Amino acid sequence: MKKILFFSNNNNKIGEVKKLLNQLSIEIFCPNDLNILYEPKEVGSSFAENAKIKSSFGFQRSQIPSFADDSGICIEALNWKPGISSRKFLSNFENENECFKYIFSKVQDTGKNKAYFKTSICLTTKFNYHIVFEGNIKGTISKYAKGKGGFGYDPIFIPSGYSQTFGEFSKIKKNNISHRSIAINKLMNFLAN
Ligand code: IMP
């Protein structure tokens, strides 16, 4: 059976990806399984660069093909930021609601309400050999935070063509269209062939 390392310490993501890759008869490891305890600093200037930093590191340490992902939200009213700093941006506020209030005020001030989520996955198959798979989903910032599902910016993001926020979506419904699932499906197709 082929082996692959998913360089992530996020148990939700690991569970999701393990389920998908099982269908391909690929044995999937995470850093903990291989005693890789250190994580490299994400000092890249794009989602793809950060994903590559993590997948290269995983490959160097494990010597088996490794992949990693990096995601975030880009908001028109914030000059398409926070992007790669999405996690940090949210944690700079006292709580999620304060962050959302700030975003709503910027949307109101600028009259710009577009946003998109993006995921880049980088697969490192040998030394200095990387393949990047990307997924985007466009949408708008809602007027209010809505829904208790999901995480991060889900309660304020309405994907194009829908009227509900990702926070109001079921897990399955979000997974059918999300930026992350688009990128993962591209990776799966590559691995299957
Ligand atoms: P990560 O690189 O997937 O860990 O994502 C970094 C940050 O981007 C997260 O901590 C969230 O704040 C935000 N983010 C990424 N994907 C999503 C999503 O699907 N919904 C909501 N927020 C997200």
Side-chain angles (χ1 to χ4, degrees):
M1 199 184 206
K2 282 187 191 156
K3 293 178 178 169
I4 200 164
L5 169 67
F6 177 33
F7 196 84
S8 169
N9 288 311
N10 178 326
N11 285 333
N12 285 328
K13 285 188 197 172
I14 293 169
E16 195 179 303
V17 166
K18 273 191 174 172
K19 241 188 245 161
L20 290 168
L21 292 192
N22 262 346
Q23 301 161 16
L24 299 179
S25 302
I26 295 177
E27 196 177 359
I28 176 160
F29 295 92
C30 62
N32 256 345
D33 299 329
L34 304 177
N35 250 334
I36 304 172
L37 303 175
Y38 178 75
E39 275 185 54
K41 286 216 166 80
E42 296 178 25
V43 293
S45 56
S46 65
F47 293 110
E49 271 180 34
N50 280 338
K52 189 171 114 184
I53 289 170
K54 291 182 272 188
S55 63
S56 306
F57 181 84
F59 176 76
Q60 278 165 27
R61 288 290 168 102
S62 66
Q63 296 298 309
I64 59 173
S66 302
F67 69 96
D69 73 326
D70 201 49
S71 321
I73 192 168
C74 303
I75 299 172
E76 187 184 22
L78 302 180
N79 290 323
W80 301 109
K81 289 188 167 60
I84 57 170
S85 309
S86 293
R87 189 182 324 149
K88 190 158 178 283
F89 183 78
L90 201 53
S91 68
N92 283 340
F93 292 85
E94 207 170 293
N95 57 48
E96 220 173 65
N97 277 336
E98 292 303 313
C99 175
F100 296 163
K101 264 197 238 165
Y102 175 80
I103 295 171
F104 295 145
S105 72
K106 288 287 176 186
V107 169
Q108 202 158 23
D109 290 351
T110 59
K112 295 175 176 172
N113 73 346
K114 291 188 192 140
Y116 65 91
F117 276 116
K118 178 166 178 169
T119 293
S120 294
I121 293 178
C122 184
L123 170 68
T124 300
T125 54
K126 48 191 172 186
F127 178 69
N128 237 350
Y129 195 84
H130 316 282
I131 307 156
V132 173
F133 306 90
E134 300 203 303
N136 284 297
I137 178 149
K138 289 184 184 169
T140 53
I141 297 296
S142 59
K143 290 222 160 60
Y144 313 97
K146 280 190 268 176
K148 299 216 180 310
F151 68 102
Y153 300 85
D154 281 343
I156 63 163
F157 180 79
I158 302 176
S160 297
Y162 294 82
S163 55
Q164 291 182 312
T165 67
F166 261 173
E168 296 174 287
F169 276 41
S170 68
K171 212 172 185 174
I172 293 177
K173 192 172 171 191
K174 181 183 167 192
N175 276 343
N176 276 339
I177 61 165
S178 80
H179 48 307
R180 194 169 296 102
S181 64
I182 294 170
I184 288 179
N185 282 333
K186 289 180 183 171
L187 169 74
M188 295 255 299
N189 278 339
F190 178 84
L191 293 174
N193 296 310

